[in-house]
């Protein structure tokens, strides 16, 4: 992760996070460990819990706790009670900066602070300690914007998920490749000659569609947003309602951030042996209650990450229990992608500390200068040089008098 390494080297000299308590609720993977080490190099006291029980790498958690003085609360496969206890352990530490992937940590602090206002919590108002937070994913930003709309957001949050470098690298190329990788590892499918129905043609969905088409699949896109649907059509994909696509697909991939995108009415039309996978953040996009209710013949594990639902006349194969497939069935984004995401996280944390007290308690864009800096470092890591504007060109672009 050369971009993060360059930032870590600067942080070690400048110590921009000296003494700052940073709590991160992220996937506990080797890549996250590099981010944690970068924050520690910058002087931060770092706590870490997992944003997804299935993605925790226990050896990484142990190494961080043992070697890097990171306060780790995460265990692979932990149940929901342990998950909540681990998030709460970080809440109790009174963080000043939060780094989230799904907003569980920051919303827990807000929920606890609300209780505190009624005198029912641990005494201090945790939200008052907050300098700010960052958010790594679409779903987390949706939650935080709803909190903001209710005038409940108590600190600035930088929308790392919407940084231009993140959108380009992480969502399109990272998710595009790694979601298909997870599906192929779990199901060992041949994409060529098969039809993939993609539900949600957003930043992540576009990457999946592009990669699947490249591997020979026929791709059908289902959308609710007219502009996104139009874009998919102009790209050459078939576009239709999910109910029409239900009988056509061999493989269905949801990546909308919404829930029950595939449900009873769709399952009832699907072909025998169709495969269902979810690349959205939460395991709510494929309606598991509906699927279970239809499985009159029972549910059988047929491969380590595949449960087969017997609908009597047809079988449907669910990958990774409907959890985010690139993490639950694969290894998530390659390190080269997370290098960019976590470089943005590190610089966003630094920006929040440098501007403590002067940013509004809203969901904010990552400053363009951070996007540019991360892109510049990534290009350097790839040994790619680019042109710069001449003085004459800069004058031309900044002025308004010359039109020819
Ligand atoms: N697996 C990963 O690595 C990964 C990476 C990035 C994002 N995500 C997750 O994927 C989800 C989508 O993220 P995004 O950044 O692409 O969001 P996005 O908002 O850019 O795209 C989501 C798209 O889904 C569409 N949509 C919503 N409801 C729909 C429905 N019922 N049927 C069809 N389309 C529908 C929306 O119109 C939108 O175009 C989120 O949960 C996000 O957290 C996962």
């Amino acid at each position: 992760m050369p971009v993060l390494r360059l930032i870590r080297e600067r942080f070690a000299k400048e110590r921009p996070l000296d003494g700052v308590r940073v709590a991160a609720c992220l996937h506990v993977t080797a890549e996250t460990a590099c981010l944690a080490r970068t924050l520690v190099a910058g002087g931060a006291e770092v706590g870490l819990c997992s944003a997804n029980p299935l993605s925790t790498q226990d050896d990484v958690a142990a190494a961080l706790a043992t070697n890097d003085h990171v306060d780790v609360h995460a265990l692979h496969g932990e149940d929901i009670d342990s998950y909540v206890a681990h998030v709460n352990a970080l809440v109790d530490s009174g963080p000043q900066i939060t780094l989230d992937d799904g907003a569980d940590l920051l919303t827990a602090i807000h929920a606890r602070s609300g209780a505190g206002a009624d005198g029912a919590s641990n005494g201090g108002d945790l939200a008052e300690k907050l300098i700010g937070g960052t958010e790594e994913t679409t779903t987390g930003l949706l939650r935080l914007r709803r909190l903001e709309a209710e005038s409940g957001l108590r600190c600035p949050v930088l929308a790392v998920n919407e940084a231009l470098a993140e959108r380009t690298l992480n969502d399109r190329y990272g998710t595009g490749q790694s979601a298909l990788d997870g599906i192929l590892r779990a199901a060992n499918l041949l994409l060529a000659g098969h039809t993939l129905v993609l539900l949600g043609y957003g930043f992540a969905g576009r990457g999946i569609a592009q990669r699947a088409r490249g591997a020979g699949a026929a791709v059908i896109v289902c959308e609710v947003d007219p502009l996104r649907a139009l874009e998919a059509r102009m790209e050459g994909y078939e576009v239709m309602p999910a109910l029409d696509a239900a009988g056509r697909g061999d493989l269905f991939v949801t990546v909308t951030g919404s829930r029950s995108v595939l449900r009873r009415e769709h399952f009832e039309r699907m072909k025998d042996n169709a495969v269902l996978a979810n690349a959205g953040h939460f395991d709510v996009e494929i309606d598991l209650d509906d699927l279970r209710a239809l499985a009159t013949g029972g549910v059988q594990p047929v491969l380590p990450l595949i449960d087969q639902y017997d609908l009597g006349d047809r079988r449907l194969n669910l990958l990774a229990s409907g959890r985010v497939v690139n993490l639950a069935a694969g290894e998530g984004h390659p390190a080269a992608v997370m290098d960019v995401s976590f470089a943005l996280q590190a610089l966003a944390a630094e920006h929040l500390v440098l501007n403590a007290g002067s940013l509004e308690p809203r969901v904010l864009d990552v400053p363009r200068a951070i996007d540019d800096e991360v892109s510049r470092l990534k290009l350097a890591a790839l040994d790619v040089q680019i042109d710069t504007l001449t003085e004459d060109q800069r004058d031309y672009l900044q002025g308004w008098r010359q039109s020819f």
Side-chain angles (χ1 to χ4, degrees):
M1 299 175 81
V3 178
L4 211 45
R5 177 168 44 73
L6 290 169
I7 294 171
R8 186 161 68 243
E9 286 165 7
R10 177 172 71 75
F11 273 18
K13 285 193 209 114
E14 298 176 6
R15 308 272 296 174
L17 307 176
D18 215 11
V20 177
R21 284 187 308 283
V22 178
C25 181
L26 300 169
H27 300 285
V28 181
T29 60
E31 292 80 11
T32 302
C34 288
L35 171 62
R37 285 181 170 171
T38 304
L39 300 169
V40 169
E45 293 167 20
V46 181
L48 177 64
C49 69
S50 174
N52 180 324
L54 291 184
S55 61
T56 298
Q57 295 169 352
D58 287 336
D59 48 358
V60 170
L64 278 175
T66 312
N67 304 332
D68 298 283
H69 309 293
V70 175
D71 181 25
V72 186
H73 300 263
L75 188 67
H76 182 85
E78 63 194 10
D79 63 17
I80 187 70
D81 292 339
S82 307
Y83 179 82
V84 171
H86 288 158
V87 173
N88 280 331
L90 288 199
V91 173
D92 290 337
S93 71
Q96 294 165 287
I97 299 283
T98 60
L99 315 183
D100 258 304
D101 187 327
D104 280 350
L105 180 57
L106 196 55
T107 53
I109 292 174
H110 278 70
R112 188 87 76 81
S113 299
D118 300 335
S121 88
N122 61 359
D125 187 351
L126 291 161
E128 271 174 17
K129 297 183 178 153
L130 285 171
I131 294 173
T134 69
E135 176 50 54
E136 175 78 18
T137 193
T138 307
T139 292
L141 284 174
L142 276 172
R143 295 175 78 189
L144 294 169
R145 288 198 166 106
R146 287 196 292 261
L147 187 60
E148 183 189 326
E150 291 171 15
S151 311
L153 194 55
R154 302 277 299 274
C155 66
V157 176
L158 289 179
V160 167
N161 178 65
E162 292 170 4
L164 297 177
E166 171 88 1
R167 286 301 203 189
T168 309
L169 265 287
N170 184 323
D171 293 357
R172 184 173 305 203
Y173 302 114
T175 310
Q177 177 175 304
S178 65
L180 288 181
D181 176 51
I183 292 167
L184 298 183
R185 281 188 203 206
N188 196 18
L189 284 175
L190 180 67
L191 286 172
H194 285 114
T195 299
L196 181 150
V197 176
L198 177 78
L199 299 108
Y201 191 70
F203 285 95
R206 287 183 187 114
I208 296 173
Q210 197 180 45
R211 263 59 192 147
R213 178 161 66 184
V219 176
I220 297 176
V221 170
C222 306
E223 250 299 340
V224 292
D225 179 309
L227 182 56
R228 294 260 169 96
L230 179 61
E231 186 187 335
R233 185 70 194 92
M234 301 307 271
E235 270 298 315
Y237 302 112
E238 272 195 271
V239 176
M240 64 184 73
L243 215 46
D244 295 343
R248 300 264 310 271
D250 301 297
L251 168 63
F252 293 80
V253 183
T254 55
V255 60
T256 68
S258 186
R259 76 169 174 210
S260 301
V261 176
L262 286 178
R263 50 190 183 271
R264 173 181 279 268
E265 65 206 72
H266 306 112
F267 303 141
E268 284 173 343
R269 290 194 180 191
M270 286 180 186
K271 294 197 276 197
D272 181 35
N273 230 4
V275 174
L276 317 179
N278 167 49
H281 187 78
F282 287 122
D283 59 351
V284 297
E285 303 211 10
I286 300 172
D287 193 318
L288 299 183
D289 289 340
D290 278 4
L291 195 52
R292 272 189 290 266
L294 284 172
T296 49
V299 183
Q300 292 291 332
V302 287
L303 281 172
L305 283 162
I306 301 188
D307 287 329
Q308 192 167 77
Y309 288 71
D310 185 346
L311 276 55
D313 57 344
R314 282 155 311 131
R315 298 152 300 166
L316 299 181
N317 301 294
L318 178 69
L319 261 61
S321 311
R323 290 175 190 265
V324 56
V325 73
N326 48 345
L327 284 159
E331 292 188 25
H333 295 320
V337 170
M338 296 320 295
D339 195 15
V340 167
S341 297
F342 287 164
L344 288 165
Q345 289 279 9
L347 296 186
E350 179 187 37
H351 179 79
L352 287 167
V353 171
L354 289 176
N355 294 281
S358 65
L359 301 173
E360 283 183 78
R362 290 196 298 113
V363 175
L364 302 167
D365 289 341
V366 170
R368 180 64 198 247
I370 291 182
D371 255 325
D372 287 347
E373 173 66 359
V374 169
S375 305
R376 195 182 63 73
L377 293 172
K378 179 72 182 171
L379 282 171
L382 292 169
D383 199 18
V384 175
Q385 279 81 42
I386 59 169
D387 290 313
T388 50
L389 291 171
T390 65
E391 209 166 313
D392 175 57
Q393 288 166 340
R394 195 168 291 117
D395 287 348
Y396 176 77
L397 292 170
Q398 285 172 357
W400 58 271
R401 289 181 197 283
Q402 299 157 274
S403 65
F404 48 84

